[in-house]
Amino acid sequence: EVQLLESGGGLVQPGGSLRLSCADSRFTFSSYAMSWVRQAPGKGLEWISGISGSGGSTKYADSVKGRFTVSRDISKNTLYLQMSSLRAEDTAVYYCAKLGGWPAGAFDIWGQGTMVTVSS
Amino acid sequence: QSALTQPRSVSGSPGQSVTISCTGTSSDIGGYNYVSWYQQHPGKAPKLMIYDVTKRPSGVPDRFSGSKSGNTASLTISGLQAEDEADYYCCSYAGGYTFDVFGTGTKVTVL
């Protein structure tokens, strides 16, 4: 069964950068589109980024466009989210999720999440 | 793109049915048959319960069902059980620019 594992979260100062990773060694990573979804403390879910199976197509929510970059390394079966110019409002649990289709598909498998805290 | 609108909370007794509404626009729910629903227990990752408006993933009880009419989607939980107490989020594809938009979330309480 597909199992996703995020890493890379932590405490970072406003304006700083952080790179999140999401890996699974038990399926052909390149076959699936993937997304990042975040959840601020006590708040709802927010889709922030998606990438096609090949990595050739990416999309971003307005809230992170120009600051976050999604990418994937097929050889390492790993998805990344490079976050820069971080703000307090980026504080959230970040989930990676497998998409059932591209560009439209449900988030059918989720990781356990990694916490990002932006604070001085 | 604004979040889809869900009631803040719904409740029911064990064995009863509850329905959660999710209201959007013609640019999201009304324009596509890509509505999904997620269950989230406290401190846990969301879990897919319904996709493509009405379809259930393998392993999801048939007590959970989805529907759509116009710009509003609904999730119905029949035969409510204690383990159904959780937060529920709807989500809709919203086109090539916006991609996906989630609902505001509904807390289901089993009395």
Side-chain angles (χ1 to χ4, degrees), chain A:
Chain A
E1 181 179 302
V2 172
Q3 195 165 19
L4 301 174
L5 184 65
E6 301 99 334
S7 60
L11 175 64
V12 60
Q13 292 188 337
S17 298
L18 207 59
R19 188 178 80 162
L20 306 182
S21 300
C22 170
D24 178 79
S25 61
R26 287 176 282 181
F27 75 113
T28 307
F29 208 82
S30 60
S31 300
Y32 300 102
M34 300 290 293
S35 268
W36 289 96
V37 176
R38 70 183 179 183
Q39 186 170 34
K43 302 298 184 181
L45 301 172
E46 179 189 14
W47 171 81
I48 58 171
S49 182
I51 186 168
S52 62
S54 67
S57 180
T58 58
K59 297 183 184 292
Y60 300 93
D62 286 344
S63 58
V64 305
K65 195 173 297 182
R67 300 187 299 123
F68 291 11
T69 302
V70 62
S71 63
R72 63 195 307 162
D73 185 331
I74 294 174
S75 67
K76 295 182 178 179
N77 281 341
T78 303
L79 173 75
Y80 300 103
L81 184 68
Q82 178 68 47
M83 305 185 294
S84 60
S85 302
L86 283 163
R87 308 165 180 167
E89 53 265 37
D90 294 319
T91 294
V93 174
Y94 284 73
Y95 297 100
C96 66
K98 172 183 162 295
L99 281 167
W102 181 266
F107 307 101
D108 53 14
I109 304 290
W110 295 68
Q112 85 292 345
T114 187
M115 183 71 201
V116 173
T117 302
V118 184
S119 175
S120 54

